[in-house]
Amino acid sequence: MDRTQAILDQHLEASAVGVLDAFRRYGYLAADLDPMGRLLPETEPLAELAAGTETSPETAAARRWYCGSIGLEFMHIIDPARRRFLAERMEREPQAPDRRRLLELLVRGETFEQVIQQRYLGSKRFSIEGVTSLLPLLDGLLETAAEQDAEQAVLAMPHRGRLSVMAITVGRPAAELFAGFEDVDPKSILGSGDVKYHMGATGEHVAKNGRTVRLHLVSNPSHLEAVDSVAMGRARAKLDRVGDRTGKKVLGIVMHGDAAFAGQGVLAETLNMTELEAYRVGGTIQVVVNNLIGFTTEPKNFQSSRFATDIAKRLPIPIFHVNAEDPDAVARVARIACEYRYAFASDVVIDLIGYRRHGHSEVDDPTITQPTLYKKIAAFAPTWKNYARQLAASAGLPETEAEGMAAAYRAELYEAQKQAEELEKKPTLRTMPPYWSAFTGGPYKREYEVPTAVSAERLGVLAEGLTRAPEGFHVHEKIKKLLEQRLEMGRGTRPIDYGMAEALAFASLVTSGVPVRLSGQDCRRGTFNQRHSVLIDVENGRDHLPLAAMEPGQARFEVYDSLLSEAAVLGFEYGYSRDFPEALVMWEAQFGDFANGAQIILDQFVTAGEDKWGLLSGLVLLLPHGYEGQGPEHSSARIERYLQLAAEDNIQVCQPSTAGQYFHLLRRQALRRWRKPLIVFTPKSMLRHKDSSSSLAELSDGGFQNVVPDRRIQNARRILLCSGKIGHELLRERERRGDTQTAVVFLDQLYPFPARELEAIFAAHPDARDVVWVQEEPANMGALFFVQPRIERLLRRPIRSVKRSASGSPATGSATAHTLEQKTLITMAFGIG
Ligand SMILES: Cc1ncc(C[n+]2csc(CCOP(=O)(O)OP(=O)(O)O)c2C)c(N)n1
């Protein structure tokens, strides 16, 4: 150990603020990070703390370590072992990288971009030039991960450099990527598909140590950062598949633009997931591909901090800043960052700072908004040329060699371009994992239906398991009562409520090999005190999950209270469902209306994923819904939104009217091979209401009914069609009135629209003069706009409707006004005709 090493070790242990400590803390501010000189070194803190030591050897060493092309923020990490790990690596002489390999990657990246530029002038490609070092960075991460025995990497990234990453990192044949520019086979994707720089891709990285790391680049919408937690969910599912909770086998690498990283809230939500048991993946490598510009906007207008990455400082994780024009430093950061991730199962941020050679896209002229910067960039040589020059001077690698590499790759790309012109079918860029082969998407077919009933005897056994606590476990008095009641429900001596119906559905699934995963705010207990999936020992606070302790060899049951986020959590669960199609994966909103916090995930992934990318998901959304006088915010889960997004059988939109229907719906979703997102509007006050409870026979017989007919009324004069709680209120009113002429029919499935079942209803009531749609929601909301034309098409005549008046907000803030409105609705429904 040399003298400087001894000093630094001392400093790491001691609390005294010395020179080295000052550099460890503030060196990153004075580091040389921006090749275009926009981010000026901030020397104040160091000048103050290291005053008088400028000429000392310690200061010179510290400056070399912390103020070169790498700036590291790590002193905010509390764990000394982590700080020591990082200091030790930063203060060690770096190993020489494989410079030829770095050069080759840079040459390939920039040549690839240039060839597209020449051949497809005027097309957008969102060039990587200026931050081409992303390619050696990814290579370094994957090489290090392979040394740590990684088997797969999940990559997510926005537009910038995506095509280069697909070609050079993921290894897709260039012809496939050029096919996107040739727009091969447009007829096959009329009205569907996606642009080339959003597509997902699979490939592999064959590492120097002989290991192969499978790569999955996640399909991505334009909405920046929306993919972040989707990628994490995918990584978690892949880890769960192989039973790895350490995160070693699957590495997540998520790339970001700097403006997006600083600006988009979902990124902050996603970062907050990293240490949470529900969402942990052993650490994600967050790479900011930082060109210090966002479209035309400069950092001073998109971030209130020096670095875009400052948002990540809330976490105890290292943030590396590295100058993209120093490929050796980039390679070093890749190694340290990945080793750190593997040592501590922690997120790591790498802020790769370069520039953007062209406009935001190549059809955009940046000289209008950043004229002086772009003059400078135009005079600045491409990264590979600078690096080749440097290597010629320092490493004896002749510049002609780099030229040769470029020429050879260019020739290869010209050849690929010719192949692309000849392609007849649009290439898919990916191979689906084998676990998808048992499942299917596309239009609904009746042949997908499966039995969902469970024998009464079996339900009794499951109920016993569900209500059992371990020996010596102290169950809360109220819960003891609940468990007794649930046992009675399972034995058929008490009507089954939603909570028990759901528990029985889960129990029947996990004991037949189907894993169940649910996350959402407070969903372990349930917002409405209805689920109680976890028993808590009142003496010691210990947990017991009956559903996870049903039978030996059962499938996994997981239920998690989520962080207070909608977008990141829904994104995560969507991602999870993408890599675990055999499981029942669910997200529950606290109240259904909060789901609009995740609107991007709904619009861009859940409802459009199959159309854009051909990717399926069986994700379930549980959205509490119903007008109960709680005010504008807790009444409506916005049924209208989902129905507007429904087309091509892309989703299922259901509102089960009874506990039994809910049971069959959940089981149907898990057991059919048809994989489609399922939106379920779940009850609140009806959770325990006798009217929506079911008998044991309803679970042990039959299946989910898309339309629930009225079995008590024959050949009605009036048919009230509805969905959800209002139907039960209509039934009560009918009873009160002693009405024998009105049938109340529930549409428990709104989409795919149950036309066949409704036709049967109309045929059963041939004399029904009035067919009325009744809903609680205002005229501009709810299912009215969607069902009315469809019902009229079936009936070949207009129908009438009862609803609240059109309104800017879903419901009144007054409970009394609500009651009055509700009464009026019911009276009007029976007054028609
Ligand atoms: C949520 C969202 N808002 C706006 C846009 C439009 N948009 C596309 S790229 C871009 C700038 C992104 O800048 P940055 O994150 O720094 O990435 P860069 O393009 O510079 O690589 C904007 C505003 C978008 N794609 N997504």
Side-chain angles (χ1 to χ4, degrees):
M1 193 187 297
D2 65 17
R3 190 168 153 264
T4 349
Q5 191 70 43
I7 295 169
L8 67 89
D9 278 353
Q10 240 173 40
H11 275 290
L12 267 179
E13 299 304 335
S15 58
V17 176
V19 168
L20 185 55
D21 192 82
F23 275 88
R24 283 175 180 153
R25 269 173 217 285
Y26 301 112
Y28 73 95
L29 293 171
D32 173 21
L33 300 175
D34 173 15
M36 287 298 139
R38 292 157 293 179
L39 189 70
L40 292 175
E42 173 59 78
T43 51
E44 269 307 296
L46 284 175
E48 195 181 319
L49 289 168
T53 68
E54 290 83 355
T55 54
S56 76
E58 286 84 4
T59 301
R63 191 174 296 286
R64 193 155 41 80
W65 293 327
Y66 288 105
C67 300
S69 299
I70 302 173
L72 174 62
E73 295 184 66
F74 71 114
M75 293 299 275
H76 59 290
I77 301 173
I78 293 163
D79 179 1
R82 295 183 186 211
R83 291 204 308 271
R84 205 172 297 125
F85 179 101
L86 292 161
E88 195 270 324
R89 277 179 177 56
M90 288 294 285
E91 294 163 18
R92 180 200 273 182
E93 240 3 88
Q95 273 180 343
D98 181 346
R99 296 194 167 100
R100 184 186 294 272
R101 187 176 173 113
L102 297 183
L103 178 65
E104 174 119 37
L105 287 163
L106 293 169
V107 165
R108 282 183 164 247
E110 301 202 353
T111 307
F112 180 74
E113 296 286 357
Q114 282 307 307
V115 168
I116 302 180
Q117 177 75 9
Q118 289 155 9
R119 293 278 153 149
Y120 304 106
L121 194 67
S123 314
K124 291 185 191 180
R125 63 192 152 91
F126 300 104
S127 162
I128 199 173
E129 293 154 278
V131 277
T132 317
S133 286
L134 176 63
L135 300 170
L137 179 75
L138 291 173
D139 184 67
L141 292 172
L142 294 170
E143 280 295 314
T144 314
E147 288 167 19
Q148 305 278 348
D149 291 341
E151 290 171 1
Q152 299 185 62
V154 176
L155 280 70
M157 69 184 302
H159 51 285
R160 179 82 45 221
R162 194 172 170 106
L163 294 169
S164 289
V165 167
M166 282 182 173
I168 292 148
T169 307
V170 180
R172 291 317 308 179
E176 288 184 359
L177 301 166
F178 293 153
F181 289 91
E182 301 285 345
D183 216 351
V184 168
D185 192 21
K187 278 204 191 114
S188 70
I189 53 161
L190 278 175
S192 62
D194 199 354
V195 293
K196 46 196 165 292
Y197 41 82
H198 289 162
M199 301 304 276
T202 54
E204 51 186 42
H205 177 91
V206 181
K208 277 190 202 158
N209 71 356
R211 281 196 84 104
T212 298
V213 182
R214 275 177 289 135
L215 305 178
H216 305 263
L217 176 65
V218 183
S219 302
N220 182 71
S222 177
H223 292 62
L224 295 166
E225 303 300 328
V227 75
D228 298 353
S229 66
V230 175
M232 276 180 79
R234 292 199 55 186
R236 172 67 174 252
K238 285 175 182 294
L239 287 164
D240 280 357
R241 298 196 74 84
V242 293
D244 176 5
R245 278 287 155 97
T246 65
K248 290 209 182 302
K249 294 202 174 136
V250 182
L251 174 66
I253 304 174
V254 180
M255 290 154 264
H256 319 258
D258 53 321
F261 198 83
Q264 291 288 310
V266 70
L267 178 270
E269 292 180 22
T270 305
L271 289 177
N272 190 29
M273 296 173 117
T274 176
E275 287 296 327
L276 307 182
E277 193 196 342
Y279 311 103
R280 211 179 283 147
V281 290
T284 301
I285 302 206
Q286 313 281 357
V287 180
V288 180
V289 183
N290 190 345
N291 47 28
L292 292 174
I293 196 161
F295 210 143
T296 63
T297 307
E298 297 188 23
K300 66 176 190 297
N301 294 320
F302 66 62
Q303 65 197 31
S304 292
S305 51
R306 178 174 171 84
F307 292 106
T309 52
D310 281 10
I311 183 79
K313 256 179 155 172
R314 72 179 290 193
L315 300 171
I317 60 172
I319 300 170
F320 292 88
H321 306 280
V322 57
N323 189 323
E325 278 299 299
D326 185 346
D328 290 5
V330 171
R332 188 167 167 226
V333 164
R335 172 158 290 279
I336 303 175
C338 198
E339 283 178 354
Y340 182 90
R341 183 274 185 195
Y342 271 91
F344 301 106
S346 160
D347 270 24
V348 181
V349 176
I350 302 172
D351 182 19
L352 178 69
I353 304 179
Y355 60 95
R356 190 184 71 194
R357 176 154 295 279
H358 309 280
H360 173 58
S361 78
E362 294 62 36
V363 295
D364 205 80
D365 180 358
T367 63
I368 297 168
T369 44
Q370 280 79 27
T372 53
L373 172 65
Y374 274 84
K375 234 177 243 160
K376 198 165 175 181
I377 290 174
F380 198 80
T383 311
W384 75 268
K385 288 208 170 158
N386 289 335
Y387 192 51
R389 209 168 299 135
Q390 182 195 323
L391 294 190
S394 65
L397 198 75
E399 266 184 76
T400 47
E401 201 157 323
E403 301 284 356
M405 284 177 189
Y409 190 47
R410 208 173 297 124
E412 210 180 288
L413 292 176
Y414 287 158
E415 199 47 48
Q417 198 249 330
K418 274 194 226 133
Q419 289 168 13
E421 281 172 25
E422 282 153 24
L423 281 177
E424 280 172 15
K425 270 187 67 117
K426 197 175 178 64
T428 51
L429 310 179
R430 59 156 195 255
T431 316
M432 288 303 271
Y435 42 80
W436 269 103
S437 55
F439 300 98
T440 189
Y444 170 74
K445 293 188 187 138
R446 281 171 68 190
E447 70 195 52
Y448 298 144
E449 292 305 338
V450 290
T452 55
V454 175
S455 75
E457 193 191 356
R458 179 75 186 143
L459 290 171
V461 172
L462 295 175
E464 269 171 40
L466 284 169
T467 52
R468 209 169 31 219
E471 197 72 31
F473 194 92
H474 308 93
V475 181
H476 192 285
E477 280 306 316
K478 287 185 184 164
I479 302 305
K480 220 183 253 172
K481 186 137 181 279
L482 175 112
L483 296 180
E484 282 163 15
Q485 291 175 350
R486 285 192 172 175
L487 193 57
E488 290 171 28
M489 292 179 196
R491 289 179 175 154
T493 54
R494 174 186 277 274
I496 296 172
D497 64 11
Y498 275 85
M500 184 56 172
E502 183 190 80
L504 286 169
F506 293 168
S508 65
L509 290 171
V510 292
T511 55
S512 60
V514 178
V516 172
R517 177 185 162 97
L518 165 67
S519 93
Q521 288 152 25
D522 307 292
C523 72
R524 284 160 46 113
R525 188 203 71 173
T527 297
F528 310 98
N529 208 20
Q530 83 284 14
R531 180 165 293 120
H532 299 287
S533 52
V534 182
L535 305 180
I536 318 276
D537 189 315
V538 291
E539 297 287 322
N540 54 30
R542 240 178 260 141
D543 284 357
H544 173 66
L545 277 78
L547 276 160
M550 296 293 296
E551 288 172 6
Q554 68 165 82
R556 195 192 328 249
F557 173 77
E558 290 176 277
V559 59
Y560 297 107
D561 289 340
S562 75
L563 61 157
L564 212 169
S565 139
E566 282 77 28
V569 177
L570 182 61
F572 187 99
E573 300 305 344
Y574 171 80
Y576 195 99
S577 75
R578 287 277 316 110
D579 277 279
F580 223 134
E582 310 93 315
L584 181 67
V585 184
M586 290 163 290
W587 172 70
E588 182 171 65
Q590 188 116 66
F591 284 92
D593 40 0
F594 290 123
N596 61 6
Q599 200 63 46
I600 295 177
I601 304 295
L602 288 164
D603 291 347
Q604 267 55 45
F605 291 93
V606 176
T607 60
E610 185 175 356
D611 183 275
K612 292 195 289 188
W613 310 313
L615 298 178
L616 308 177
S617 160
L619 181 66
V620 179
L621 272 70
L622 302 177
L623 307 177
H625 172 83
Y627 280 60
E628 296 166 359
Q630 288 198 55
E633 258 61 79
H634 293 142
S635 299
S636 175
R638 300 290 200 163
I639 293 179
E640 65 276 8
R641 297 261 165 85
Y642 300 91
L643 292 176
Q644 194 214 16
L645 293 168
E648 303 177 278
D649 291 356
N650 60 338
I651 53 173
Q652 308 160 81
V653 181
C654 296
Q655 180 159 224
S657 54
T658 62
Q661 281 280 83
Y662 184 42
F663 172 86
H664 289 295
L665 180 61
L666 292 174
R667 286 182 47 77
R668 183 180 86 167
Q669 178 71 357
L671 299 176
R672 281 194 309 210
R673 64 191 167 95
W674 198 50
R675 278 292 168 269
K676 292 282 165 166
L678 167 64
I679 318 295
V680 190
F681 298 100
T682 55
K684 295 176 294 172
S685 66
M686 298 305 285
L687 280 167
R688 279 173 287 267
H689 202 286
K690 65 172 179 28
D691 291 355
S692 56
S693 298
S694 296
S695 65
L696 196 65
E698 284 172 66
L699 277 62
S700 62
D701 255 330
F704 182 75
Q705 292 178 285
N706 294 333
V707 173
V708 182
D710 192 332
R711 301 224 180 271
R712 270 179 280 173
I713 305 290
Q714 311 294 322
N715 200 6
R717 300 293 300 276
R718 179 196 289 131
I719 304 175
L720 301 181
L721 295 173
C722 58
S723 184
K725 174 176 76 77
I726 188 90
H728 294 293
E729 292 176 20
L730 293 170
L731 285 172
R732 259 176 267 148
E733 175 67 9
R734 184 179 71 187
E735 199 155 319
R736 198 186 64 79
R737 289 173 178 240
D739 180 328
T740 55
Q741 306 276 304
T742 306
V744 176
V745 174
F746 290 80
L747 269 72
D748 278 21
Q749 177 164 303
L750 292 158
Y751 191 81
F753 188 68
R756 197 176 51 85
E757 292 89 334
L758 272 178
E759 260 171 342
I761 297 284
F762 298 140
H765 301 284
D767 299 330
R769 230 186 28 225
D770 297 303
V771 175
V772 186
W773 176 257
V774 188
Q775 66 175 33
E776 299 183 294
E777 298 84 355
N780 55 328
M781 300 175 193
L784 175 63
F785 83 97
F786 181 83
V787 296
Q788 185 166 12
R790 287 169 172 79
I791 298 170
E792 289 177 349
R793 211 170 299 143
L794 292 177
L795 281 171
R796 295 193 196 85
R797 62 184 159 96
I799 62 163
R800 293 207 261 181
S801 59
V802 174
K803 64 273 174 187
R804 284 180 162 81
S805 307
S807 168
S809 96
T812 169
S814 150
T816 317
H818 160 78
T819 311
L820 213 73
E821 290 174 7
Q822 202 76 1
K823 227 173 168 176
T824 313
L825 283 184
I826 308 276
T827 310
M828 282 172 69
F830 282 90
I832 281 182

